[in-house]
């Protein structure tokens, strides 16, 4: 994974305390937690008072009420502090999710493809949830528990310091054992989250090919493959669970050892009168109270390790470089006399596999330019290079007189309307789909006019809620309708250059004719580049470029190419044959 060293990594502290309100909430949570801890610490001392007072024959009402108050205060304080922290944690997660999603949408298409959509989804759902534990435990509970342990030991030392040494010794031995376990927890959580990512990716990929799987009656085979991935998740999760399940018993063992040692040596000290009964009672209560924060420290460290492993996976996404903006130089002035698009000896390879070689051609400012050629020749790749989804490995592409690398992405993509071969629809209303990329809303009359132009108005009006129908789940469009939606979107843009990849592949001849008229109208004052297999769509183009094996073999008008290019003649002959 190529990473960007200048990237802003997730900083839990900063992310958690963004804004004054967050800092106030955090302060309140800390104060409430401190109050709860202090009240909890005071309780045994007050119990000691109750016992002393009773043995002196005095009243126990006041100290008993105080014991109750301390217990109540401790409970209420820790509940309120827990809730405040949960809110802060959720706020932080909300911001982190937004940030990671926004970053992912700005990554180059090839990066997203190689990461996998499912894996990305797993990161902002399951990894982000694990990260939440860092807030709960790492930021307050852990330090507070450590503080509680320290204070408790201090108070215990005032009662009997020798017994404190016995206690601390037992817990230190348990602590060393737990530290070893924690190292493994972080590693196995990272493995577990990676396996979850792979499973999510596989499941997403299978769902998006669902019709193909069903058509081949391959559901069981697909389910078995997914089952293997689920088993991999189970194996890694079990490894993590095995390690985590050791933490509490090891700490429990430490407590048992401490309890036995303290009771034994305490008994001797009681007999030797170095220790009084109320002090011993209070000491034992403190010892029991020590278990809770000690356990919080041990299990909290486990969750912290898991959260940190998750944070690393989110940071990996944030470290991926976004699509870069070109450095706009003063020399890069747009010349009016230049062609709209110039390919100058362009080479390109997908993952080291060469696809374009020395590809050179020119697209004039106005008029219809067609790219034709056999399947896999590199036509779609050329269009993708114009909108800078990828970069040429050699040569240059100039758009409106300026090297494509020198445009800012905003400027470049604002000037180009690109309709790819997928005719992607977003899950959203028809209106939302048409409005894509536009900040000012279109009024209904412009939307209906455009839908009429591409011959889609009746189909949209027939949908249950017209323009407000949500597309993508229960209401979908046919291939040809999608194609016309994509065209409508391009018509609504005010781009100077329009790139169409196979815009008529799924249209009937009536719609194809209608579309040709639309293209001609557009080409009167804009640059229109169209990739098409069907020569009927493009043979009237002003300029045709023949691409074969990643290079331009000929260019000119239909007539000129018939004379010059044997491959073009072959293409025409084969289609005449097919249609005749
Ligand atoms: N994302 C990708 N990763 C790797 N190789 C790719 C990718 N997209 C296309 N290719 C390869 O690049 C070559 C050119 O593909 P391209 O899509 O540009 O062809 P095309 O001329 O548009 O073909 P068609 O007419 O079938 O749409 C093909 O050999 C294809 O296998
Ligand atoms: Mg293509």
């Amino acid at each position: 994974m190529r990473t960007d060293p200048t990237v802003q990594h997730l900083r839990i502290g900063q992310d958690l305390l963004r804004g004054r309100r967050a800092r106030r909430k955090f302060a309140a949570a800390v104060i409430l937690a401190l109050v709860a801890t202090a009240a909890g610490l005071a309780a045994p001392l007050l119990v000691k008072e109750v016992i002393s007072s009773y043995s002196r024959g005095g009243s126990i009402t006041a100290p008993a009420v105080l014991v109750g108050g301390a217990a109540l205060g401790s409970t209420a304080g820790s509940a309120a502090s827990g809730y405040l922290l949960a809110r802060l944690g959720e706020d932080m997660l909300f911001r982190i999710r937004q940030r990671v999603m926004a970053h992912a949408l700005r990554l180059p298409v090839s990066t997203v493809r190689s990461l996998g959509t499912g894996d990305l989804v797993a990161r902002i759902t399951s990894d982000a949830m694990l990260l939440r534990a860092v807030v709960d435990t790492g930021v307050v509970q852990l330090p507070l528990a450590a503080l509680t342990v320290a204070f408790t030991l201090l108070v215990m030392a005032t009662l009997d310091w020798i017994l404190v040494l016995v206690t601390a010794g037992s817990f230190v031995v348990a602590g060393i054992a737990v530290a070893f376990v924690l190292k493994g927890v972080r590693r196995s959580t990272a493995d577990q989250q990676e396996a979850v990512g792979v499973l999510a990716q596989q499941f997403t990929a299978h769902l998006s090919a669902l019709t193909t799987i069903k058509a081949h009656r391959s559901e069981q085979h697909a389910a078995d493959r997914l089952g293997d991935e689920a088993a991999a998740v189970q194996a890694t999760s079990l490894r993590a669970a095995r390690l985590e399940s050791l933490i509490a018993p090891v700490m429990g063992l430490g407590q048992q050892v401490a309890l036995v040692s303290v009771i034994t040596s305490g008994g001797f000290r009681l007999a030797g009168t170095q220790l009084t009964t109320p002090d011993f009672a209070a000491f034992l209560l403190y010892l029991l109270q020590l278990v809770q924060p000690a356990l919080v420290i041990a299990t909290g460290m486990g969750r912290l390790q898991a959260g940190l492993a998750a944070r690393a996976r989110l940071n990996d996404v944030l470290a991926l470089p976004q699509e870069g903006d070109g450095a706009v130089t003063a020399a890069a002035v747009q010349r009016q006399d230049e062609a709209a698009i110039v390919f100058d000896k362009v080479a390109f390879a997908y993952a080291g596999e060469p696809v374009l070689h020395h590809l050179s051609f020119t697209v004039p400012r106005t008029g219809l330019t067609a790219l034709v050629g056999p399947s896999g020749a590199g036509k779609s790749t050329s269009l993708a290079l114009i909108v800078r989804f990828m970069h040429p490995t050699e040569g240059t592409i100039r758009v409106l007189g300026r090297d494509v690398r020198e445009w800012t992405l905003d400027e470049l993509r604002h000037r180009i309307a690109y309709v790819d071969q997928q005719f992607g629809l977003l899950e959203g209303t028809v209106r939302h789909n048409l409005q894509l990329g536009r900040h000012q809303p279109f009024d209904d009359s412009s939307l209906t006019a455009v839908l009429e132009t591409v011959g889609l108005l009746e189909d949209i009006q027939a949908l249950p809620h017209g323009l407000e129908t949500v597309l993508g789940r229960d209401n979908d469009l046919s291939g040809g309708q999608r194609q016309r939606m994509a065209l409508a979107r391009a018509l609504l843009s005010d781009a100077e250059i329009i790139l169409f990849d196979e815009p008529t592949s799924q249209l009937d001849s009536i719609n194809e004719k209608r579309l040709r008229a639309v293209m001609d109208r557009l080409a009167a004052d804009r640059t229109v580049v169209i990739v098409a297999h069907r020569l009927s769509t493009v043979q009237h183009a002003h300029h045709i470029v023949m691409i074969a094996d990643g290079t331009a073999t000929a260019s000119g008008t239909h007539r000129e190419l018939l004379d010059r290019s044997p491959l073009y003649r072959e293409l025409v002959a084969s289609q005449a044959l097919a249609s005749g």
Side-chain angles (χ1 to χ4, degrees), residues 113 350 355 374-381 421 533:
R113 266 202 207 119
Y350 284 110
V355 171
S375 175
K379 304 177 298 292
S380 299
T381 304
Q421 239 169 322
H533 282 124

Side-chain angles (χ1 to χ4, degrees), residues 13 15-34 77-95 135 139-140:
D15 284 327
L16 190 67
L17 301 179
R18 188 150 302 160
R20 198 189 293 169
R21 280 186 59 186
R23 282 196 287 274
R24 271 211 296 263
K25 262 188 221 156
F26 181 72
V30 171
I31 290 168
L32 282 166
L34 281 173
S78 65
S81 139
Y83 174 69
L84 278 177
L85 276 180
R87 285 211 46 177
L88 277 171
E90 287 303 332
D91 288 350
M92 182 192 77
L93 269 202
F94 165 73
R95 282 194 296 270
V135 178
V139 179
V140 171

